[in-house]
Amino acid sequence: MSHAKIHSWSDHPIMSDSIPFHRNGLLQLTIIAFLLFWGMMAISPTDRSMWLVENILVALLAIALVWSYREFRFSNLSYMLIALFLCFHTYAAHYTYQGTPIDIWLKAAFHTKRSYYDRVVHFAFGLFMAYPFRELLTRLALLRGFWSYAIPTAVVLSLSAFFEIIEMAAAGLAGQGQNNEQFIGMQGDLFDTQKDMLLGFAGGLLSMGLLAWIIWRSYRNKGFI
């Protein structure tokens, strides 16, 4: 492992795993577990065409991670967080987001009118993906201090907005129809887009806030501050 110089508690570096893939049992287990889960969710989805559209994200991200592995290896923790987020997304895609068993239970038990699992996925995006974004930026852009927490959170918010724009563009190109409404998922909420972006941003803030606190306590316990 390469160790970066630490100037303060907030400059704590994130190390990459230098273990070769064929010896990295934890990463192999993470990949196998995700592939098994993805395979289960690929069986008889609610809407096959919508499932294919929703899994474009999964395919593109998987290709990018495999293609860049030789040049840039994330830590095992980052790969696990990415896989965890993709599991949330894959589960929702199986049920076309609005028809998950969780939402069915909420509607039956609390008489809710809309599905809320999509909001959970937006929050999970910020919560789980902010850490890999920070790892990428601290190692490639050499971010340190406050900006190593602020910019990954801003990246989460930017990508949340970008995904909303992509949804709008895809629905516009496809024309009018029920599938387009399901894909956008507004469910009659005028501020659905803004709420989704806010939840992603909140997840990123929580993730980076927790990381900063954990690192600060670690340095304080070791007497560095």
Side-chain angles (χ1 to χ4, degrees):
M1 289 186 180
S2 61
H3 294 264
K5 184 178 179 181
I6 303 173
H7 301 285
S8 69
W9 69 267
S10 59
D11 290 335
H12 187 277
I14 296 180
M15 306 302 178
S16 63
D17 288 293
S18 58
I19 305 173
F21 179 77
H22 68 275
R23 292 174 50 199
N24 195 335
L26 183 58
L27 178 56
Q28 294 175 18
L29 181 62
T30 300
I31 294 172
I32 292 172
F34 173 73
L35 289 176
L36 288 174
F37 182 79
W38 184 88
M40 291 173 57
M41 294 297 100
I43 300 173
S44 301
T46 303
D47 186 320
R48 178 63 70 180
S49 61
M50 288 297 298
W51 179 86
L52 288 171
V53 172
E54 296 288 1
N55 273 274
I56 291 176
L57 167 67
V58 179
L60 291 177
L61 184 55
I63 291 171
L65 291 174
V66 172
W67 178 76
S68 63
Y69 184 77
R70 287 184 177 273
E71 300 297 327
F72 185 93
R73 297 180 187 179
F74 285 99
S75 64
N76 280 341
L77 177 57
S78 283
Y79 284 120
M80 291 172 66
L81 290 172
I82 293 170
L84 188 56
F85 165 69
L86 291 179
C87 283
F88 273 78
H89 171 73
T90 302
Y91 175 80
H94 177 86
Y95 296 101
T96 320
Y97 265 86
Q98 299 179 30
T100 66
I102 295 174
D103 285 316
I104 293 174
W105 174 79
L106 284 173
K107 290 177 180 178
F110 300 99
H111 306 289
T112 57
K113 294 183 179 180
R114 65 157 287 138
S115 300
Y116 286 97
Y117 189 77
D118 66 318
R119 298 273 168 83
V120 174
V121 177
H122 282 280
F123 181 77
F125 174 70
L127 185 65
F128 297 135
M129 295 300 294
Y131 185 93
F133 291 149
R134 182 179 188 269
E135 185 173 352
L136 183 68
L137 291 168
T138 54
R139 288 168 55 194
L140 293 186
L142 303 180
L143 289 180
R144 294 292 182 266
F146 169 79
W147 296 111
S148 70
Y149 302 97
I151 293 182
T153 307
V155 170
V156 166
L157 180 59
S158 299
L159 288 177
S160 296
F162 177 72
F163 292 145
E164 297 294 338
I165 293 172
I166 292 297
E167 286 183 356
M168 178 191 68
L173 290 173
Q176 301 297 321
Q178 182 179 0
N179 285 343
N180 296 333
E181 295 177 5
Q182 290 179 348
F183 185 65
I184 295 177
M186 292 186 68
Q187 302 183 65
D189 188 343
L190 182 63
F191 300 106
D192 180 76
T193 298
Q194 290 81 1
K195 291 176 181 177
D196 289 344
M197 292 167 56
L198 177 61
L199 283 169
F201 182 60
L205 281 176
L206 178 59
S207 175
M208 292 295 95
L210 285 173
L211 179 62
W213 179 77
I214 291 170
I215 293 174
W216 178 80
R217 280 187 59 89
S218 173
Y219 273 69
R220 189 185 68 171
N221 292 338
K222 293 177 180 178
F224 294 147
I225 57 174

